[in-house]
Amino acid sequence: MLTTNPTSHLTLRSSHSSLPSQSTTLHCHPIHGKPMIQKPQISTQKTKIRTIRAVISQDKPSEPVTSLPNQATGIDVKAVITIRKKIKEKLTEKIEDQFESFLNGIGRGIVLQLVSNEIDPTTKSGKRSRESAARGWLPRPLDHPYIVEYAADFTVESDFGMPGAVLVKNLHNKEFFLMEIVIQGFNEGPIVCPVNSWIASKEDSSEKRIFFSNQAYLPSQTPSGLKDLRQNELNSLQGNGKGERKGYDRIYDYTTYNDLGNPDKDLDLSRPVLGNEQRPYPRRCRTGRPPSKSDPLTERRIEKPHPVYVPRDETFEEIKKATFSAGALKALMHNLIPSLIATLSSTDNPFQCFTDIDKLYNDGVILKTEEGKGVFSSLVLPKILKDVISTGKRLLRYEIPTIISRDRFAWLRDNEFARQTLAGVNPVNIERLKEFPILSKLDPAVYGPPESAITAEHLEKELNGMSVEEAIKEEKLYLLDYHDIFMPFVKKINSLKGRKIYASRTVFFLTPAGTLKPIAIELSLPPTPSQPVNKHVYTHGHDATTHWIWKFAKAHVCCNDAGCHQLVNHWLRTHASMEPYIIATHRQLSSMHPIYKLLHPYMRYTLEINALARQSLINGGGIIESCFSPGKYSMEMSSAAYKSMWRFDMEGLPADLIRRGMAVKDPSKPGGVRLVIEDYPYAADGLLIWCAIEDMVEECVSFLYSEPNSITRDSELQAWWNEIKNKGHADKRNEPWWPKLQSKEDLCGILTTLIWIASGQHAAINFGQYPYGGYVPNRPTLTRKLIPQEDHPEYQILLTHPEDFFLSSLPTQLQATKIMAVKDTLSTHSPDEEYLGQLHQTHANWINDQRVLSTYEKFSARLEEIDIIINKRNADKSLKNRNGAGIPPYELLLPSSEPGVTGRGIPNSISI
């Protein structure tokens, strides 16, 4: 049973029938703490008589209620339910709350029914107790003011058996949040049903909700009395694929990305559907909204501030909203961004000098708003300072990003430009150069000769006397290749106002110090009749002109890197790809399935944050389109990347490193790979996290599936994996590379990949966005000018005012300020973050299996050790990519963090 005491400890009690009574203590803040599992103290005796905390009025507050067998009429048992009330209530809500308490007190609010594991010979389903109302007049609150308990009394027959489920019916006119049910009175000990779910009002849903105990069962192990309930609950979550979803629904279903455009508002905001043969994409959660009036293929938009449907239990909890994630993101999109536009759009000029950029951190931006209201009323941005200037104005002042807080000129240096490919916010595109010349895979009839314009002569003057062939053989050459992904879109993007890009390739040389040095950049445009080969190669130079042009070339590479990072590596490979896994898990794995229980912490809030992104970030005219180079073609480019390069079997860290040539197979090394560049911070630290996850998963799977062929006989598991492939990633369903699911090894690989994507991979490419991208020149998200050739009129401007030309090529002040605000928000940890290896209090009684709990405890302890190892690496002076003058330590894969923009910390799930 979950209780709280004055010292704010949470106690978990397990009721595994084959184990002694046991308890595990979590130390945490009573509501939004970050609890860590403490080693359980296991009792040596079974307790025949269980005591529970009394909450009903007839019990004396200081005396516990005791449940005893009644030989004449059966067994007297009690079910205690824990309810979380709303934290912030309006006056009308407080009155309603009192009325609800009154109804509960007289037994007219919540009705419960116990269901046995045993079959009733008459009904051929689980034995059921009589219905009993939860009572409490008035409920005595626990130590936290927002949590209350009620109790329902039952008398069951002596041969009733152990309850395996509880049916709950809400008689109120509004929903309530049920945290947990604990059944007391059976000799085997208390039975815990973890709930953490919204129970819809009687007006919205008349069905009884089903909640199982925390005893995990594979489908074949399901007690006879629970088999029909197990399937019924899955059926209710799957729905029938029809109708528009309501806010109280709990339906998980698939549909395409057909809600990004808004042609009813403006035909220029029309966007193609993603999720078909032409434009493949992962599926999203279906909302069932009607089509738009202007385009029958496009779903009608739900614009801010109205919410987009996600299943009720996927929405942010009030605690989350009250702290950061929902409130800040919504306020950012609904209030701050419009205010920035109103303030700066009339004078949306480029930065005139670097001092203008510095003013964003020193002086801030004065925002003009109506009577000073609306912008910051609900906005919580820990790293953005807000001050009242005068009536009708607010000051937005940014925190100095990490990249310039230690060395404001670091971004100018080639070694920092190269270092960030290994230890920056996007360290997943660098690859080893294996063949020369570099070749494109695009159709030469459309895009010209496949050979890169980078020649051996370009490279060899920087190879310390080596030939290109020797450098490739000795693993000294590396490539950042954004040619094929951008080239099909270059012409369309360059036709947009204020957008000019190239397809780019950058070659690096590995120095004896273990650092990379950029030695050649190729910038390409599509061929034209007059210029069938439109490729330019830039290298280092020692004169002023070449020096500045090299800076421009690097800026274009950074722009492509920022676009690929956001649209492919961040959104597509973590957020979008994770959504089908979550939908399939709820549709095909029962909540009593051990794999569902194992995956549950890694799915929290992802559907909600993705829905918010579709509404305000990746939609037509949204932040990504307005602030990144691909503009209105952003999501089409993301779809093209999904089509050409996304493979599930390559999404695990070791496989991805091998694919990019950054590692080779070596069974003696962590993760079974040896890094080609030893000082590769993302990979080195990531492998520590990967191996910890892998070992935890392997240990759990080993005893959950101990019988031969138990994987192939698990009907739910097989349906889950088939649905991920055939529905969740339907456009890729026929690919031969999908892993089989026939053995424990197969299952371990799949689960480790899923958990890694949700936790370590997302953290590594998300929480460094503001530390590295908060200073626009370091990572410009768009470029507005091409590099002029000598015969171009702008070439003279470049020669006479190179700094002005450089700044005029970067995002405007409005674009830069908007993207800085978004990156600050997306890089911020909320105060109630749930980090890897930590167990949230609402997930405390997740499973009744001491073997799994012990494994998770070891996992938690191992992550604490990893924290120490990474800190030692960051202090190692021989590791030049994470230590040195002005170089920030690589902390993105440190498991835990404080709130705010910290550049560290691995949350369990993709929640921002």
Side-chain angles (χ1 to χ4, degrees):
M1 176 180 146
L2 186 149
T3 62
T4 56
N5 59 33
T7 58
S8 298
H9 293 181
L10 293 178
T11 301
L12 289 65
R13 301 197 182 278
S14 177
S15 57
H16 195 292
S17 59
S18 64
L19 292 173
S21 173
Q22 55 198 271
S23 66
T24 302
T25 301
L26 300 182
H27 299 268
C28 67
H29 189 283
I31 281 293
H32 52 72
K34 302 181 285 291
M36 293 288 294
I37 294 182
Q38 304 263 325
K39 186 173 182 179
Q41 302 297 318
I42 302 179
S43 170
T44 57
Q45 297 181 353
K46 282 190 176 181
T47 306
K48 296 290 184 180
I49 301 175
R50 302 290 180 180
T51 62
I52 65 169
R53 184 170 185 166
V55 295
I56 51 179
S57 59
Q58 58 265 38
D59 301 317
K60 296 180 181 179
S62 59
E63 295 180 359
V65 174
T66 303
S67 299
L68 294 167
N70 186 322
Q71 300 298 331
T73 60
I75 303 173
D76 292 333
V77 299
K78 188 183 296 291
V80 178
I81 64 173
T82 305
I83 292 174
R84 191 186 68 219
K85 298 192 299 181
K86 194 171 182 179
I87 298 173
K88 293 183 178 180
E89 292 183 315
K90 299 176 182 178
L91 179 60
T92 55
E93 291 174 324
K94 290 181 179 180
I95 296 173
E96 290 175 355
D97 186 53
Q98 291 299 317
F99 184 64
E100 287 178 8
S101 296
F102 169 77
L103 292 178
N104 289 337
I106 61 175
R108 298 291 182 89
I110 305 169
V111 175
L112 284 73
Q113 187 175 25
L114 307 182
V115 182
S116 172
N117 290 336
E118 307 295 330
I119 280 282
D120 185 320
T122 303
T123 64
K124 306 301 181 183
S125 60
K127 295 179 181 179
R128 300 194 181 190
S129 71
R130 289 179 176 270
E131 290 186 346
S132 179
R135 299 174 183 270
W137 184 266
L138 289 169
R140 180 163 58 83
L142 301 180
D143 297 312
H144 198 283
Y146 310 118
I147 299 176
V148 295
E149 289 182 344
Y150 297 94
D153 294 306
F154 299 87
T155 299
V156 298
E157 298 175 354
S158 57
D159 63 348
F160 182 78
M162 288 290 289
V166 180
L167 305 182
V168 178
K169 183 164 54 176
N170 181 7
L171 301 181
H172 292 295
N173 291 324
K174 72 175 189 177
E175 65 180 3
F176 68 89
F177 188 82
L178 181 57
M179 297 177 66
E180 186 179 61
I181 304 171
V182 180
I183 306 168
Q184 300 278 354
F186 292 91
N187 288 343
E188 290 82 357
I191 299 164
V192 181
C193 297
V195 178
N196 297 309
S197 180
W198 288 97
I199 312 300
S201 71
K202 64 179 182 180
E203 295 179 351
D204 292 332
S205 176
S206 59
E207 69 173 8
K208 294 180 180 179
R209 290 290 307 278
I210 305 167
F211 298 107
F212 299 104
S213 76
N214 62 353
Q215 179 63 53
Y217 297 104
L218 297 176
S220 61
Q221 301 167 340
T222 310
S224 300
L226 304 181
K227 286 183 178 179
D228 57 341
L229 290 183
R230 182 170 186 152
Q231 187 57 52
N232 290 345
E233 176 66 359
L234 285 176
N235 291 343
S236 68
L237 294 170
Q238 293 170 3
N240 59 12
K242 299 178 181 179
E244 182 174 356
R245 299 274 61 89
K246 307 299 182 184
Y248 54 81
D249 282 339
R250 301 165 51 246
I251 308 297
Y252 295 80
D253 203 358
Y254 305 94
T255 195
T256 58
Y257 277 70
N258 62 350
D259 65 339
L260 300 179
N262 191 357
D264 288 346
K265 181 179 180 180
D266 186 342
L267 288 178
D268 193 50
L269 293 178
S270 297
R271 296 293 180 269
V273 175
L274 306 184
N276 49 51
E277 185 176 352
Q278 183 181 4
R279 296 184 180 90
Y281 217 62
R283 297 303 189 257
R284 65 171 177 93
C285 187
R286 179 184 177 274
T287 65
R289 295 196 302 270
S292 65
K293 298 176 182 179
S294 306
D295 181 3
L297 298 179
T298 298
E299 189 173 85
R300 189 176 301 170
R301 290 278 299 174
I302 294 292
E303 296 293 357
K304 53 192 180 184
H306 303 293
V308 175
Y309 168 79
V310 294
R312 183 64 182 97
D313 291 336
E314 301 297 329
T315 59
F316 290 137
E317 294 178 11
E318 187 188 4
I319 300 163
K320 192 86 168 176
K321 294 177 183 177
T323 52
F324 171 74
S325 291
L329 188 60
K330 286 183 178 178
L332 176 76
M333 301 306 172
H334 305 169
N335 300 320
L336 177 57
I337 296 301
S339 182
L340 283 170
I341 294 172
T343 302
L344 298 174
S345 60
S346 61
T347 57
D348 187 17
N349 298 318
F351 293 104
Q352 299 299 313
C353 59
F354 286 98
T355 304
D356 285 348
I357 303 176
D358 295 340
K359 287 179 180 179
L360 295 174
Y361 317 109
N362 301 325
D363 300 337
V365 180
I366 297 176
L367 301 178
K368 301 174 183 178
T369 62
E370 182 181 354
E371 297 181 357
K373 297 179 181 178
V375 177
F376 298 113
S377 57
S378 60
L379 189 60
V380 183
L381 294 179
K383 284 296 182 180
I384 297 181
L385 307 179
K386 289 84 62 177
D387 300 306
V388 177
I389 301 299
S390 62
T391 302
K393 296 181 180 179
R394 291 291 187 272
L395 177 64
L396 174 70
R397 188 164 61 221
Y398 291 89
E399 185 80 3
I400 299 176
T402 302
I403 190 59
I404 59 168
S405 64
R406 291 169 174 253
D407 182 355
R408 64 175 301 183
F409 300 112
W411 68 276
L412 284 166
R413 297 196 305 268
D414 285 352
N415 59 353
E416 179 59 24
F417 169 75
R419 189 190 72 83
Q420 289 182 33
T421 66
L422 300 172
V425 70
N426 188 41
V428 296
N429 279 108
I430 189 73
E431 59 183 295
R432 180 162 53 89
L433 185 60
K434 302 174 184 177
E435 297 179 350
F436 195 83
I438 305 166
L439 299 175
S440 169
K441 296 179 181 179
L442 299 176
D443 184 356
V446 178
Y447 300 104
E451 294 84 6
S452 167
I454 298 175
T455 65
E457 184 180 358
H458 287 129
L459 302 181
E460 288 176 352
K461 57 185 178 182
E462 299 284 349
L463 299 185
N464 298 336
M466 302 173 69
S467 68
V468 169
E469 290 75 15
E470 290 172 332
I472 289 175
K473 184 178 180 181
E474 295 186 23
E475 301 175 338
K476 296 293 186 181
L477 291 179
Y478 294 82
L479 178 67
L480 200 60
D481 193 343
Y482 295 127
H483 181 277
D484 286 9
I485 188 173
F486 276 92
M487 180 58 81
F489 295 92
V490 168
K491 185 177 181 179
K492 292 190 288 187
I493 292 171
N494 286 347
S495 67
L496 300 175
K497 182 180 178 181
R499 308 292 167 96
K500 297 296 178 185
I501 71 162
Y502 299 93
S504 65
R505 293 187 179 103
T506 308
V507 178
F508 300 84
F509 176 68
L510 182 64
T511 71
T515 60
L516 292 178
K517 178 176 69 172
I519 56 177
I521 295 173
E522 177 191 65
L523 301 179
S524 302
L525 296 171
T528 64
S530 62
Q531 199 168 3
V533 178
N534 201 353
K535 304 175 182 180
H536 302 276
V537 178
Y538 301 93
T539 58
H540 294 279
H542 301 287
D543 63 281
T545 301
T546 307
H547 186 71
W548 267 106
I549 290 177
W550 175 252
K551 282 184 173 58
F552 299 145
K554 287 196 299 180
H556 278 280
V557 173
C558 288
C559 169
N560 287 353
D561 190 72
C564 188
H565 163 258
Q566 198 66 259
L567 295 167
V568 180
N569 299 326
H570 182 208
W571 171 256
L572 168 63
R573 295 177 64 188
T574 63
H575 284 261
S577 293
M578 196 71 196
E579 186 152 345
Y581 312 146
I582 296 171
I583 297 172
T585 300
H586 285 282
R587 286 171 54 87
Q588 298 298 342
L589 296 183
S590 167
S591 60
M592 66 168 66
H593 197 293
I595 300 304
Y596 175 94
K597 292 181 179 294
L598 186 65
L599 287 176
H600 188 267
Y602 310 105
M603 304 188 293
R604 196 166 188 240
Y605 295 148
T606 302
L607 297 189
E608 171 81 343
I609 197 66
N610 285 3
L612 287 170
R614 295 199 311 274
Q615 191 174 40
S616 299
L617 286 175
I618 63 170
N619 60 300
I623 297 298
I624 299 301
E625 286 194 2
S626 65
C627 296
F628 284 78
S629 275
K632 64 186 294 184
Y633 304 105
S634 292
M635 291 302 290
E636 287 186 61
M637 196 177 86
S638 185
S639 169
Y642 178 72
K643 182 177 184 178
S644 64
M645 55 80 64
W646 187 89
R647 296 177 47 154
F648 181 88
D649 64 327
M650 294 295 169
E651 291 302 290
L653 179 58
D656 177 61
L657 293 171
I658 292 172
R659 171 172 63 173
R660 293 187 284 120
M662 300 303 292
V664 294
K665 291 183 179 181
D666 186 341
S668 68
K669 299 291 183 179
V673 297
R674 174 183 62 82
L675 295 179
V676 176
I677 300 178
E678 183 179 352
D679 186 12
Y680 184 2
Y682 158 76
D685 295 356
L687 286 170
L688 294 176
I689 303 297
W690 171 272
C691 291
I693 296 171
E694 185 178 50
D695 289 349
M696 182 266 291
V697 168
E698 287 179 351
E699 188 168 339
C700 287
V701 168
S702 68
F703 47 72
L704 292 173
Y705 291 92
S706 57
E707 299 296 325
N709 302 319
S710 54
I711 297 288
T712 55
R713 293 202 311 266
D714 188 333
S715 57
E716 288 183 3
L717 191 69
Q718 293 298 325
W720 169 76
W721 186 235
N722 287 332
E723 188 164 288
I724 285 175
K725 295 183 294 183
N726 295 318
K727 290 188 176 181
H729 287 273
D731 303 320
K732 295 270 190 175
R733 62 186 177 276
N734 296 321
E735 297 287 353
W737 41 253
W738 282 102
K740 305 294 183 184
L741 183 50
Q742 298 175 344
S743 66
K744 288 189 284 188
E745 291 75 20
D746 295 337
L747 179 58
C748 289
I750 291 168
L751 294 178
T752 302
T753 298
L754 295 185
I755 296 172
W756 161 253
I757 291 169
S759 57
Q761 180 69 3
H762 179 258
I765 58 180
N766 180 73
F767 292 103
Q769 289 194 74
Y770 188 77
Y772 283 98
Y775 186 69
V776 175
N778 183 61
R779 284 185 66 77
T781 56
L782 61 83
T783 42
R784 298 190 298 128
K785 291 185 178 181
L786 299 176
I787 301 175
Q789 301 303 306
E790 292 187 16
D791 58 349
H792 195 281
E794 285 195 327
Y795 187 77
Q796 193 60 36
I797 300 175
L798 183 154
L799 293 181
T800 55
H801 299 287
E803 180 180 327
D804 293 348
F805 188 87
F806 181 82
L807 290 171
S808 69
S809 300
L810 301 184
T812 64
Q813 294 187 38
L814 174 59
Q815 290 168 331
T817 308
K818 285 164 64 176
I819 200 62
M820 287 167 67
V822 172
K823 287 186 174 183
D824 182 278
T825 305
L826 299 182
S827 301
T828 301
H829 291 291
S830 62
D832 71 335
E833 196 79 87
E834 303 157 23
Y835 296 100
L836 193 64
Q838 298 177 356
L839 195 61
H840 192 264
Q841 81 254 15
T842 59
H843 196 51
N845 294 324
W846 61 299
I847 194 168
N848 183 21
D849 191 320
Q850 184 58 37
R851 300 169 302 174
V852 175
L853 293 173
S854 297
T855 299
Y856 200 86
E857 182 186 352
K858 288 191 292 184
F859 177 55
S860 178
R862 185 166 175 184
L863 289 168
E864 292 183 4
E865 295 173 359
I866 290 173
D867 201 291
I868 297 172
I869 293 171
I870 293 175
N871 283 320
K872 286 183 177 179
R873 288 176 174 177
N874 286 330
D876 187 343
K877 295 181 180 179
S878 68
L879 300 177
K880 304 300 183 182
N881 290 316
R882 61 201 309 160
N883 187 287
I887 293 177
Y890 187 75
E891 298 180 328
L892 288 169
L893 286 168
L894 282 171
S896 61
S897 173
E898 297 299 318
V901 179
T902 63
R904 59 176 289 171
I906 305 176
N908 278 328
S909 61
I910 302 169
S911 58
I912 188 62

